[in-house]
Amino acid sequence: MQLDMERFRDTFFEEAHEHLGTMENSLLQLDEQGSDPELLAGIFRAAHSIKGASGTFGFIAISRFTHVLENVLDRLRNGTLATSTALTRLLLQATDQLREVVTATQRNEPDSVSVTGTIDELEAVLRAGGGDAAAAHAPVHAAAAPVSSHRVRIAFEPTADFFLQGQDPLLLLNELAGHGRDVRVVCDRSRLPDLITLDPETCYLSWTVEMDTTSDERTLREVFMFVEDACRLEVTMAGGAAAPIAGGAEATAATAASPAARPPGEAVPAPAARSDRRAGADRRMESTSIRVPTEKVDALINLVGELVIAQAMVNQAVSVFPQAAQLDEVMAIVQRSTRDLQEQVMAIRMLPIGTVFNRFPRLVHDLGAKLGKRVRLDIEGADTELDKSVIEQLGDPLTHLIRNSIDHGIEDPEVRVAQGKPDEGTITLRAFHEGGNVVIEVRDDGKGLDVALIREKAVQQGLVREDAVLGDEEIHQLIFAAGFSTASVVSDVSGRGVGMDVVKRNVESLNGAITVHSETGRGSRIRIRLPLTLAILDGLTVRLGSDVFIVPLLSIRQSIRPKAAEVRTVLGGQSELFVLRGEQLPLVRLARLFQVPDAVEDVERGIVVVTETDGRRIGVLVDDVIGQQQVVVKSIESNYRRIEAVMGATILGDGRVAFILDVAELQRVTTRRRTVDEENGHPAAGAAEPERQEEMA
Amino acid sequence: MARGKSAGPAGPIRIVNAADGRHLVLEGNVGAAHARALQEVARELAGAAGPVRVDLGELRHIDCAGIQVLLALDETFRQHGQAFTLESVPPGVQATFRNAGLDSFC
């Protein structure tokens, strides 16, 4: 068997980042609620895992740094060091640097990050003798009586496939040696074959270690806690019986009672500390899940998409047979099973939104401290699932929203107290399912949007006319306009005027929608509505000549059969406007854009589908509306080539390919063509009709 | 140790043909991924006559899979009455051997 270390290497980096996330979040919780053995054990385990695996791969920079960090965590865990805000800050700093080292190692530049300063600080904490760092993190048990040491014997026999599990016994022996003095290690090489028959990926060695130690049995066993299922382990304390481990079941069945208190002959039970129970739970989790490359899942989804299309085609084909009635029942079963299969396969790509929410406690913690504000982040619905591709693109928009809430929404503590609010502001990040979509809310209890200021700035920036009559809700929406900002000073937190419009564009690129609701003095709520997945889309099927197109349902405001008088020609006949209840919308004839030859020319025989994106509406003229349907989105770019104003394609039940419109790009194409026409000397709409031009603005 | 022309696989494992015989040079990090390549090189050395020196001067880390191959090579040479020595063992690697109960090996 060839050991595919590259595959393990990728897995190591994935897992290291997960462990770092766990460390970061647990440290933040520690900062809030003070010392908690469960949290400390979790942080220690995460660091320990990174150290162990990094050593296996020879990532020395990671394992050296983590070793020092782990020593500090170990002392926190066993109570010889007290938690404090200063120490938590140092550990967060160390976590950040460790993440940098991991990332640099991933890029094969492990030495590009200098961690000397942080290591010095951590070692100063460990020395706990003199110096600032040591003074800041004084040991709790400095005056405690010295613990007496005892002789211990540990027999350790890794399983033959130990290396294949990414483990290295030497790292465990190194760690074990750190627990004692007068360490005597005997290596049993009796099973090692000759060089010719040796399989380099099989572990043939085993060890017996004897040493004087002050560590208890539980602590010694924790050295092996991640390999319990991959070794035979016996720990014999001086004067006591051996407590063997040959797999997880026996390890968790025993207890940590004192050897002296046990009747002679009774097996020494293994420890039942909370950390061990957690380790057991983690192992159970691991055994019920597997890591699969995203490409494999995508290939599966693609195949199921093809199957859904094929099933629809079969359905349509058999419907013309005279015996169709007899096939109805069978087809219904096939259809149901196909739909179930599709749902199950789509569910594989679903991830809990907590994977992106988890990055925000740190952001809120750091930004609040930077701005001198007290801010608490409440997270609700972190288990809500969304497609992986949607989740991956949510990070930036949510970061913008939360930064804005802290910078502009939450008031300074003294201002809040003066207004009768608690000095600590609250931002709530919430996710929930609603009507087949996922809704994400960012809510704060700050000062709310300043309607007068937004309006004033919008007028100054030429976004609205001075005499425009706008309701509060309409004014709130102006925060999403490109380049809009109410900040008078540009800071590195926000106020660059490139925040909310980018958020809106990002959300719309995910086929989502964003709204804002605000009450002066009580706070704001921004709501993002997203489809569960990008692979399936709810669309309106429309006909153009003999072709069919799909318009994403989320972009559609209404469909209307126009009268000839409602369509006006402008720009020297190059463009048309559709007048909808006094509002003039650019009208796009899809047939002309896509050069469909046999489409209707007479507008009264067609339908105008009114779409809206980025706050702007356009009318799209089609021949007819066929109906709504859910379609499987296929990339047209990877299968054919990029087509302007088309986001993808789908295959219909009759086998025909239908383009799916990219409404946002259609909007941009329309605007661009109008601009080119104007530059070519054609009169703009408003040039002929000033009143309309103002409305367009 | 006299340096000469190197042969064998690229990476952390090299065979150097020097005036005083053939040397196996291990550099950087030798992990489980290199164990098979190390075995190939070790087999090549085991088939040659004369003493073999293993230069660990530039070795930063070696894992158990790599050490097993060296142990097997050592055993093969012993059986054939040939000399096999580890040279320039860095302190960090020495500590690894010591903690693995293999102090006598280096």
Side-chain angles (χ1 to χ4, degrees):
Chain A
M1 192 188 330
Q2 181 62 44
L3 190 60
D4 183 359
M5 289 304 282
E6 273 307 304
R7 186 163 60 92
F8 285 127
R9 190 179 182 275
D10 292 345
T11 306
F12 163 77
F13 288 116
E14 268 181 47
E15 291 185 349
H17 284 292
E18 283 172 18
H19 289 312
L20 284 164
T22 303
M23 287 170 68
E24 186 173 70
N25 285 327
S26 300
L27 283 168
L28 290 169
Q29 282 183 54
L30 204 64
D31 197 31
E32 266 180 26
Q33 63 198 59
S35 185
D36 178 316
E38 189 89 12
L39 280 175
L40 286 168
I43 300 167
F44 175 83
R45 269 200 309 276
H48 185 71
S49 301
I50 295 173
K51 189 185 90 171
S54 60
T56 304
F57 288 94
F59 297 147
I60 306 297
I62 300 175
S63 90
R64 279 193 187 141
F65 187 28
T66 324
H67 178 69
V68 182
L69 178 59
E70 189 194 53
N71 285 344
V72 174
L73 293 170
D74 191 31
R75 289 191 58 185
L76 277 170
R77 190 177 59 138
N78 64 29
T80 55
L81 196 65
T83 51
S84 68
T85 306
L87 182 53
T88 308
R89 200 171 297 143
L90 174 61
L91 291 170
L92 279 168
Q93 174 190 320
T95 307
D96 285 346
Q97 288 215 320
L98 182 55
R99 184 177 285 121
E100 286 177 32
V101 177
V102 169
T103 306
T105 306
Q106 202 165 0
R107 294 194 311 257
N108 293 320
E109 299 165 354
D111 300 325
S112 63
V113 181
S114 170
V115 292
T116 318
T118 306
I119 286 183
D120 288 348
E121 283 188 66
L122 291 169
E123 284 178 340
V125 169
L126 287 169
R127 282 194 300 276
D132 292 339
H137 318 296
V140 178
H141 298 153
V147 182
S148 61
S149 68
H150 46 269
R151 195 75 182 161
V152 64
R153 181 180 179 277
I154 297 157
F156 169 47
E157 185 182 327
T159 53
D161 64 349
F162 203 76
F163 302 152
L164 293 170
Q165 297 186 23
Q167 303 290 349
D168 182 5
L170 302 187
L171 292 168
L172 302 172
L173 293 167
N174 277 345
E175 190 176 343
L176 194 61
H179 280 276
R181 287 183 307 175
D182 190 17
V183 182
R184 291 181 189 175
V185 186
V186 177
C187 177
D188 178 2
R189 344 180 188 170
S190 59
R191 290 184 298 155
L192 190 69
D194 62 52
L195 191 59
I196 305 299
T197 52
L198 175 134
D199 174 5
E201 287 153 13
T202 296
C203 183
Y204 300 99
L205 306 178
S206 59
W207 291 266
T208 306
V209 181
E210 284 188 17
M211 61 182 177
D212 290 332
T213 180
T214 54
S215 300
D216 60 9
E217 191 183 321
R218 180 180 76 93
T219 308
L220 296 174
R221 284 187 179 281
E222 279 183 355
V223 172
F224 300 90
M225 69 185 180
F226 294 111
V227 296
E228 283 176 359
D229 294 329
C231 71
R232 192 182 67 79
L233 185 71
E234 278 183 15
V235 180
T236 314
M237 310 301 274
I245 294 180
E250 286 185 49
T252 51
T255 71
S258 158
R262 283 188 296 275
E266 184 180 314
V268 177
R274 276 192 291 182
S275 61
D276 290 344
R277 287 201 299 274
R278 173 75 71 84
D282 288 350
R283 280 198 306 277
R284 281 191 295 279
M285 286 289 286
E286 281 164 14
S287 65
T288 56
S289 63
I290 53 168
R291 278 179 190 272
V292 179
T294 316
E295 305 84 65
K296 283 190 181 177
V297 177
D298 287 346
L300 190 61
I301 287 173
N302 206 29
L303 281 173
V304 172
E306 301 281 354
L307 183 65
V308 170
I309 291 161
Q311 178 265 318
M313 290 165 77
V314 172
N315 220 6
Q316 192 156 329
V318 299
S319 64
V320 298
F321 292 146
Q323 305 91 333
Q326 296 163 20
L327 285 169
D328 274 357
E329 196 177 331
V330 180
M331 287 311 299
I333 293 169
V334 172
Q335 195 169 359
R336 195 166 54 243
S337 299
T338 312
R339 200 185 311 120
D340 289 350
L341 176 65
Q342 187 181 28
E343 278 176 16
Q344 289 299 317
V345 171
M346 297 305 295
I348 297 175
R349 272 187 68 99
M350 295 292 178
L351 289 178
I353 203 163
T355 52
V356 69
F357 279 5
N358 282 345
R359 71 167 75 166
F360 296 119
R362 181 70 188 276
L363 174 75
V364 171
H365 174 270
D366 290 357
L367 200 53
K370 182 176 180 178
L371 297 173
K373 295 179 180 180
R374 295 200 60 220
V375 190
R376 190 179 81 229
L377 178 69
D378 286 345
I379 291 179
E380 297 172 18
D383 293 337
T384 309
E385 290 191 328
L386 255 177
D387 189 284
K388 184 174 182 289
S389 56
V390 179
I391 280 187
E392 281 167 354
Q393 294 176 64
L394 266 179
D396 286 347
L398 289 177
T399 303
H400 273 298
L401 294 179
I402 290 173
R403 288 169 80 99
N404 267 334
S405 272
I406 301 171
D407 195 18
H408 298 307
I410 303 290
E411 310 91 332
D412 291 333
E414 57 275 17
V415 175
R416 291 180 62 87
V417 171
Q419 290 175 355
K421 291 180 174 180
D423 63 342
E424 183 181 62
T426 303
I427 295 175
T428 306
L429 194 52
R430 176 176 176 234
F432 57 96
H433 285 279
E434 191 178 84
N437 293 310
V438 167
V439 178
I440 300 165
E441 272 184 8
V442 180
R443 199 171 63 226
D444 68 59
D445 66 348
K447 58 188 171 194
L449 295 177
D450 185 335
V451 175
L453 180 63
I454 293 172
R455 188 193 163 92
E456 183 191 324
K457 293 284 178 182
V459 170
Q460 280 174 12
Q461 292 164 26
L463 297 169
V464 291
R465 279 179 7 208
E466 199 164 358
D467 59 351
V469 180
L470 298 172
D472 282 359
E473 290 292 320
E474 288 168 291
I475 294 174
H476 291 159
Q477 301 308 318
L478 289 170
I479 65 170
F480 295 117
F484 179 80
S485 174
T486 57
S488 52
V489 178
V490 172
S491 71
D492 63 343
V493 177
S494 54
R496 287 181 294 264
V498 290
M500 299 303 270
D501 58 326
V502 175
V503 170
K504 186 166 192 198
R505 209 174 305 138
N506 287 350
V507 170
E508 286 177 346
S509 73
L510 296 169
N511 299 331
I514 186 166
T515 54
V516 57
H517 175 79
S518 181
E519 287 181 55
T520 305
R522 297 189 63 185
S524 302
R525 184 194 70 199
I526 293 190
R527 188 173 265 205
I528 296 172
R529 181 178 293 275
L530 293 165
L532 285 173
T533 174
L534 296 180
I536 292 178
L537 178 136
D538 283 316
L540 186 73
T541 317
V542 298
R543 189 176 60 78
L544 271 177
S546 53
D547 290 341
V548 174
F549 286 75
I550 308 289
V551 188
L553 216 52
L554 260 172
S555 314
I556 297 175
R557 294 294 159 264
Q558 67 182 114
S559 302
I560 194 166
R561 188 175 291 280
K563 295 191 174 108
E566 290 168 338
V567 176
R568 298 176 187 176
T569 305
V570 291
L571 296 170
Q574 297 297 307
S575 293
E576 288 173 302
L577 294 174
F578 172 59
V579 183
L580 175 67
R581 288 187 284 278
E583 185 184 3
Q584 301 182 71
L585 314 176
L587 182 68
V588 180
R589 288 182 185 251
L590 272 194
R592 288 183 189 168
L593 185 66
F594 293 109
Q595 297 171 1
V596 179
D598 48 352
V600 297
E601 276 295 320
D602 178 2
V603 289
E604 292 201 345
R605 288 177 53 215
I607 302 276
V608 173
V609 179
V610 178
T611 64
E612 181 174 332
T613 179
D614 215 4
R616 293 178 184 175
R617 295 203 275 184
I618 58 171
V620 179
L621 183 66
V622 301
D623 289 7
D624 202 1
V625 169
I626 299 171
Q628 283 182 26
Q629 77 175 90
Q630 207 172 56
V631 296
V632 179
V633 183
K634 314 280 273 183
S635 164
I636 196 155
E637 209 166 337
S638 57
N639 294 311
Y640 176 53
R641 66 174 173 82
R642 192 178 173 282
I643 298 177
E644 200 172 43
V646 170
M647 66 175 347
T650 192
I651 303 173
L652 302 171
D654 59 5
R656 284 189 297 170
V657 173
F659 287 155
I660 303 167
L661 291 186
D662 182 337
V663 175
E665 196 175 59
L666 189 62
Q667 169 85 54
R668 284 193 288 276
V669 170
T670 311
T671 308
R672 197 166 59 235
R673 289 190 177 182
R674 286 169 61 83
T675 309
V676 169
D677 287 339
E678 283 165 17
E679 282 172 358
N680 287 341
H682 295 299
E689 301 174 62
E691 188 185 335
R692 283 185 193 164
Q693 185 187 25
E694 283 168 8
E695 288 214 21
M696 287 296 291
Chain B
M1 183 185 284
R3 302 275 172 182
K5 191 182 173 186
S6 71
I13 305 157
R14 287 187 296 128
I15 295 176
V16 176
N17 296 313
D20 56 347
R22 304 186 84 190
H23 301 164
L24 172 60
V25 179
L26 302 185
E27 296 172 327
N29 301 316
V30 175
H34 309 111
R36 195 169 289 280
L38 181 58
Q39 185 190 29
E40 294 301 321
V41 173
R43 280 176 179 164
E44 192 182 330
L45 284 173
V52 165
R53 293 174 174 182
V54 184
D55 181 0
L56 304 184
E58 298 298 320
L59 182 66
R60 290 168 68 192
H61 173 81
I62 184 164
D63 73 2
C64 189
I67 287 180
Q68 277 194 162
V69 178
L70 291 182
L71 289 173
L73 184 63
D74 176 43
E75 188 57 35
T76 305
F77 270 64
R78 276 179 204 283
Q79 284 170 6
H80 291 82
Q82 287 174 283
F84 174 87
T85 48
L86 298 185
E87 293 188 348
S88 312
V89 186
V93 177
Q94 246 170 13
T96 300
F97 279 106
R98 189 172 55 248
N99 291 336
L102 298 166
D103 349 28
S104 60
F105 186 55
C106 57

